[in-house]
Amino acid sequence: MTTSRLCPPPLTGAVAAEAEDLLRQLAAEGHLPADAAAQRVKEMTDELTATGTYRQSAEELLHGARIAWRNNPQCVGKFYWKGLEVRDCREVGADGDESALFEALVDHLRLAWNGGRVRLLLSVFAPSRPDRPGPRVWNGQLIRYAGYRRHDGSFVGDPETADLTEAVRRLGWRGEGTEYDVLPLVIQWPGREPRWFDLPPDAVPEVRVSHPDHPWFERLGLRWHAFPTISDQVLELGGLRYPLAPFSAWYTCTEIGARNLSDTNRYDKLPAVARGMGLDTGRDRTLWRDRALLELTAAVLHSYDQAGVSIIDHHFATKQFVRHEEREHRSGRGCPADWSAIVPATSGSTTPVWQRRYLPTRVLPNFSPQPVPWASGDAEG
Ligand code: ARG
């Protein structure tokens, strides 16, 4: 077992306090009658004393996960927090079987895809226990493109995944070397060897980018995967930690057009788009980047619409966010938010969140970053 000394299992007392806190919140929000909550606190404390951990009910998991999303300061889409669907995968692969975990992750992708009407879907796998940390996947998202570092420091593919791609290659995986090679899933139970699995094509829907007015746009060969599935955050819920809890949702067009395909340290496609548009890229003052950025984002939105894949624009997303914020205030709650994550990557000042102020307060339950598992060869507990 590789439970590292850096991350000792949380003290039973701290777990009990967080668990009680969660039960109190669930009761306050009407998911648990007050007398049942008191009874449940007692049960949980007994189980904790006897075993050093406890098992959450399906209801605690569902409503707790929704609150964790609501509490997350990074997400502009929280308006829909009550619509989150939760799959209980806590028993999957519990005997250490990585292929069972892989199958469940593929099912997750198929369910979230839903023929293009993307679902808000969270799958929750085994929590960490004092004697055994939970499973991890190495991938930051279940679907992501490989990034190959060339000797001259340039990249083929997505530079964001360059370290992961190298780690996966060390395990023996070989990509084709294209700009859009889908990375395999690397699944690891702490203390066991990681195993990688190629995703079946039908679990990886993608959209090719074309422009409503510029036929040449398609020839740039740009594409992106249909929806994101964050898979490297730990769900911290009621004193338990679920290190594998992949979360799917639909995209906002700016994430792809104004970041993934355009950031200079990502796909860096603005020069190619600007050349296609016939813009003078010799001087910043021609605002070629701004013009290209707008057309690329418009192309993304158009292409997803054409393909029948859920996607929202940043104006709609931020209006919904403000509605969410107001609804939260009416419910007597705050709305933890990180302004820099909520304001879209383009046209920030044209959206209603621009002039508002937010506090990125961290409250539990929540989704939090965790250290990458491949660097130390040891997944976190
Ligand atoms: N920005 C990330 C990406 O482009 C995804 C983050 C989550 N986004 C979302 N719409 N739920 O892949």
Side-chain angles (χ1 to χ4, degrees):
M1 211 19 71
T2 54
T3 315
S4 86
R5 259 170 291 137
L6 291 175
C7 314
L11 299 172
T12 308
V15 177
E18 274 185 36
E20 248 190 271
D21 204 50
L22 173 66
L23 293 170
R24 212 174 304 121
Q25 264 188 75
L26 294 178
E29 296 188 22
H31 302 301
L32 200 61
D35 51 339
Q39 171 62 27
R40 182 70 185 117
V41 169
K42 187 182 170 325
E43 259 172 43
M44 178 271 297
T45 314
D46 291 348
E47 195 179 342
L48 207 49
T49 315
T51 68
T53 185
Y54 75 104
R55 188 183 157 81
Q56 285 165 341
S57 71
E59 289 283 289
E60 289 159 5
L61 197 60
L62 171 67
H63 296 293
R66 289 178 176 169
I67 298 175
W69 181 14
R70 189 182 78 201
N71 283 339
N72 193 280
Q74 306 300 320
C75 182
V76 72
K78 303 198 283 185
F79 178 83
Y80 299 97
W81 66 273
K82 285 185 189 164
L84 178 68
E85 296 179 70
V86 176
R87 281 171 80 221
D88 183 353
C89 298
R90 288 176 293 177
E91 304 305 327
V92 175
D95 49 358
D97 182 359
E98 290 86 7
S99 42
L101 289 172
F102 174 67
E103 290 307 323
L105 292 166
V106 171
D107 285 346
H108 173 107
L109 289 173
R110 292 186 176 128
L111 289 166
W113 163 241
N114 192 30
R117 282 183 58 91
V118 177
R119 278 153 106 174
L120 301 165
L121 183 67
L122 176 78
S123 292
V124 182
F125 291 84
S128 292
R129 298 188 318 218
D131 60 328
R132 187 193 208 196
R136 294 276 309 262
V137 303
W138 285 16
N139 313 60
Q141 292 199 25
L142 294 187
I143 300 173
R144 230 27 177 179
Y145 302 114
Y148 306 98
R149 223 177 240 119
R150 291 208 196 93
H151 290 300
D152 65 358
S154 65
F155 293 89
V156 175
D158 193 346
E160 185 187 74
T161 64
D163 290 341
L164 172 62
T165 302
E166 273 166 25
V168 173
R169 283 162 63 103
R170 283 197 293 274
L171 297 180
W173 178 79
R174 289 288 167 265
E176 289 176 19
T178 76
E179 275 196 288
Y180 299 98
D181 285 356
V182 175
L183 283 164
L185 285 184
V186 183
I187 299 174
Q188 184 169 29
W189 275 101
R192 283 172 64 99
E193 288 300 310
R195 282 183 62 193
W196 60 266
F197 300 83
D198 276 318
L199 286 166
D202 77 290
V204 187
E206 296 179 278
V207 177
R208 290 171 188 276
V209 183
S210 62
H211 191 282
D213 312 319
H214 301 312
W216 54 263
F217 210 100
E218 238 180 306
R219 290 197 292 277
L220 297 175
L222 310 186
R223 57 159 107 170
W224 203 251
H225 50 90
F227 58 94
T229 306
I230 307 290
S231 51
D232 59 357
Q233 301 218 352
V234 52
L235 168 60
E236 299 179 286
L237 180 63
L240 301 187
R241 294 169 63 80
Y242 296 92
L244 180 54
F247 192 146
S248 295
W250 48 79
Y251 263 123
T252 304
C253 59
T254 43
E255 297 184 87
I256 305 167
R259 300 298 312 277
N260 301 347
L261 291 176
S262 57
D263 278 5
T264 50
N265 61 355
R266 298 291 299 285
Y267 276 80
D268 195 18
K269 294 294 185 184
L270 294 184
V273 173
R275 278 194 298 274
M277 292 170 69
L279 302 175
D280 171 5
T281 58
R283 294 176 308 136
D284 290 343
R285 276 181 81 87
T286 62
L287 303 187
W288 63 269
R289 288 185 184 282
D290 314 63
R291 290 168 192 253
L293 193 64
L294 177 60
E295 294 311 324
L296 176 53
T297 306
V300 167
L301 199 52
H302 164 81
S303 310
Y304 278 63
D305 282 346
Q306 288 283 309
V309 179
S310 310
I311 191 163
I312 58 177
D313 67 79
H314 44 297
H315 301 289
F316 182 73
T318 49
K319 279 183 188 155
Q320 294 288 66
F321 185 81
V322 171
R323 285 182 61 197
H324 164 73
E325 192 190 335
E326 288 166 353
R327 200 169 58 185
E328 286 301 288
H329 291 317
R330 280 198 301 279
S331 307
R333 294 188 290 259
C335 179
D338 175 351
W339 190 89
S340 65
I342 300 303
V343 171
T346 51
S347 316
S349 64
T350 69
T351 67
V353 288
W354 180 259
Q355 335 205 355
R356 304 175 82 91
R357 288 293 168 262
Y358 299 102
L359 289 173
T361 324
R362 271 210 78 77
V363 281
L364 291 172
N366 219 314
F367 291 92
S368 313
Q370 45 186 346
V372 294
W374 70 82
S376 61
D378 180 18
E380 183 254 5

